[in-house]
Amino acid sequence: PNYISVSKLANLLNCRMESLLQDLKKLGFSNLSQGYILSREYVELILQEYDYRLPDSSKELTPDNVYDALRTPANPRFLQKRPPVVTIMGHVDHGKTTIIDYLRKSSVVAQEHGGITQHIGSFQVITPVSKKKITFLDTPGHPVFLKMRQRGANITDIIVLVVSIEDSIMPQTVEAIKHAKNSGNELIVAITKIDRISQPKQREKAIEKVTNDLISNGITVEKVGGDVQVIPISAKTGENMDLLEEAIILLADVMDIKAENSLKTMAEGWILESRVSKSVGNVATVLVKKGVLQKGKILVCGNTYGKVKNIRNEAGDQLSKAFPSDAVEVLGWKQLPVAGDQVIEAKNEATAKKFVSKRLALLEIEKEGLTVEKLNEQRAIEA
Ligand code: GTP
Ligand code: MG
């Protein structure tokens, strides 16, 4: 049998304990207190009474979606362009890390500081010609990204598929193509290591071979009237790296990538990484999805929450605000957030506490096997 206390149920239903106790009295309960334990049958009865109090009755309330209620409804007025979020994929040894290294060295913060001091799983560059921002995630193979995808979060906009001019398409290239198609992300192809073939005619021939292989793998490249750009590059010499960056900007413009970036929008994001720092305590890297992060804002995340004490970029500089597509370190968490978890702003600390304890209650209820979903199922069978 499954049991739940009155206080936990009030929490779950997001209603005041007093009103729940009153309604229970109306149902014939007596000698009630907040610790009063209700059996499954009674909970079902009460759920029928309280159906309308569930935040969204069409959706089960689960630990994963408990924070959905904190979101502000979409407001097109606040929509603004945001930088594209890009990941690099491709076969082993085809040059992913070398591209990242090259871009990192030319990244916004690196230029300002003569090197990057911290690794936060992500970095931004400003493109050489159009002077626009691109956010690169440099650990797309990390399990965290799988976790986020499983939760329906597509945090990447564009995939840069790297294919070595020497090897052309290999098994993991095919995997990456499959992934790109399933994810709905847009694709740009970078043919890498072109410096390895110095003779122009031979190089051209090799590029053509890779392009044809791409076509036979279902990629609609520009050569056959498609819209996938193919950029031959060398991450070693830097040749055409500027073209690759501008190709990303061009595609982002076509995609018209936007997010609400008003302070009034409840900020949302994802935890990319987290760590405990000896000097400042719990630190988490947040990729901002919408809204604006600012000192003093309250954020909930998984089983914890925090008041933003500090926002820092990868060089450790303090920032007053962080905008959509920025990945920044956030300080001020009660407990260490978990990578892959979602972050949502709450109006104030009381609301944050309430939602976190509601999530904890839901987790416990789930553990006991008494889910709202199951109760609803049960009711449907009985009806
Ligand atoms: P994994 O992380 O193991 O999947 O490999 P990767 O895709 O990150 O490849 P990585 O960047 O480590 O490059 C593999 C090798 O190719 C290294 O020895 C690089 O120095 C070399 N390499 C990468 N890009 C280029 C390039 O543009 N030109 C030349 N000549 N060598 C390159
Ligand atoms: Mg690598």
Side-chain angles (χ1 to χ4, degrees):
N2 301 297
Y3 300 97
I4 183 174
S5 70
V6 171
S7 63
K8 240 186 222 174
L9 186 64
N11 202 291
L12 172 63
L13 295 172
N14 196 17
C15 68
R16 285 166 52 82
M17 179 94 63
E18 292 75 22
S19 63
L20 178 60
L21 286 171
Q22 253 172 30
D23 287 353
L24 283 169
K25 263 190 201 138
K26 277 187 230 150
L27 287 172
F29 289 87
S30 57
N31 293 328
L32 286 168
S33 67
Q34 62 175 51
Y36 192 95
I37 303 292
L38 299 158
S39 76
R40 186 190 185 112
E41 287 71 30
Y42 285 125
V43 174
E44 282 175 30
L45 190 66
I46 295 153
L47 275 182
Q48 272 168 30
E49 291 297 310
Y50 281 85
D51 234 7
Y52 62 98
R53 287 179 193 267
L54 285 172
D56 179 356
S57 59
S58 67
K59 211 162 128 189
E60 327 299 348
L61 195 61
T62 69
D64 270 352
N65 69 15
V66 65
Y67 297 143
D68 287 358
L70 292 169
R71 294 209 170 91
T72 31
N75 186 339
R77 272 201 311 140
F78 297 144
L79 279 179
Q80 295 278 337
K81 274 208 165 173
R82 62 169 175 81
V85 179
V86 179
T87 57
I88 299 177
M89 298 181 80
H91 192 72
V92 181
D93 271 3
H94 277 198
K96 300 177 291 292
T97 304
T98 310
I99 293 179
I100 291 282
D101 287 349
Y102 181 92
L103 292 168
R104 257 187 183 277
K105 274 186 224 125
S106 68
S107 83
V108 185
V109 238
Q111 274 172 4
E112 284 168 5
H113 293 264
I116 294 161
T117 54
Q118 289 171 48
H119 181 261
I120 62 173
S122 153
F123 63 97
Q124 281 186 329
V125 301
I126 290 182
T127 56
V129 182
S130 56
K131 307 290 175 209
K132 288 185 174 157
K133 269 188 187 175
I134 304 173
T135 301
F136 285 94
L137 302 181
D138 67 0
T139 47
H142 198 278
V144 161
F145 289 88
L146 184 66
K147 186 169 155 190
M148 287 189 266
R149 274 203 297 276
Q150 280 164 349
R151 291 182 178 181
N154 196 359
I155 59 169
T156 307
D157 303 301
I158 295 169
I159 293 171
V160 172
L161 177 72
V162 298
V163 186
S164 148
I165 194 168
E166 294 175 316
D167 296 348
S168 193
I169 291 184
M170 297 291 279
Q172 278 175 309
T173 322
V174 177
E175 286 284 301
I177 292 170
K178 233 189 268 169
H179 167 74
K181 279 184 183 154
N182 292 335
S183 69
N185 293 323
E186 296 290 332
L187 198 64
I188 290 176
V189 178
I191 300 179
T192 56
K193 309 192 188 185
I194 56 166
D195 60 290
R196 289 263 174 94
I197 305 174
S198 51
Q199 215 275 323
K201 276 240 169 72
Q202 275 180 353
R203 189 190 276 190
E204 213 170 292
K205 243 174 112 183
I207 290 171
E208 198 173 315
K209 176 179 187 310
V210 177
T211 308
N212 289 337
D213 287 349
L214 289 166
I215 294 164
S216 45
N217 274 275
I219 298 186
T220 52
V221 301
E222 284 174 328
K223 189 185 164 192
V224 289
D227 48 17
V228 177
Q229 306 173 77
V230 179
I231 323 287
I233 60 155
S234 166
K236 205 152 216 175
T237 66
E239 191 178 350
N240 289 350
M241 286 299 285
D242 54 341
L243 292 185
L244 177 61
E245 291 177 58
E246 296 304 335
I248 292 168
I249 292 302
L250 184 72
L251 178 56
D253 279 343
V254 173
M255 290 165 72
D256 200 23
I257 299 170
K258 287 179 173 172
E260 289 170 53
N261 76 349
S262 156
L263 272 168
K264 288 180 195 149
T265 302
M266 286 290 158
E268 287 177 36
W270 291 90
I271 304 284
L272 297 181
E273 283 174 328
S274 65
R275 64 188 170 91
V276 182
S277 148
K278 270 192 193 132
S279 51
V280 292
N282 297 325
V283 182
T285 305
V286 178
L287 176 69
V288 183
K289 200 180 132 204
K290 67 193 249 192
V292 181
L293 289 189
Q294 196 181 28
K295 255 189 226 180
K297 279 200 171 188
I298 307 291
L299 303 175
V300 295
C301 170
N303 297 340
T304 189
Y305 72 97
K307 183 176 191 166
V308 179
K309 210 164 78 185
N310 238 323
I311 303 172
R312 309 194 301 200
N313 66 11
E314 55 190 310
D317 295 332
Q318 295 193 16
L319 307 174
S320 60
K321 291 187 179 79
F323 297 94
S325 297
D326 285 349
V328 288
E329 284 196 334
V330 174
L331 281 58
W333 306 94
K334 299 279 173 207
Q335 275 152 5
L336 192 66
V338 176
D341 272 352
Q342 197 168 8
V343 179
I344 301 190
E345 182 185 343
K347 252 198 324 249
N348 50 45
E349 211 160 326
T351 310
K353 271 188 195 157
K354 195 176 83 181
F355 272 81
V356 170
S357 64
K358 195 196 292 194
R359 181 178 144 96
L360 290 171
L362 282 165
L363 281 171
E364 208 160 308
I365 289 163
E366 200 175 76
K367 212 170 69 193
E368 287 165 13
L370 184 76
T371 62
V372 176
E373 188 186 359
K374 275 193 190 158
L375 290 166
N376 284 339
E377 259 173 35
Q378 186 77 22
R379 262 158 51 196
I381 293 165
E382 281 163 12

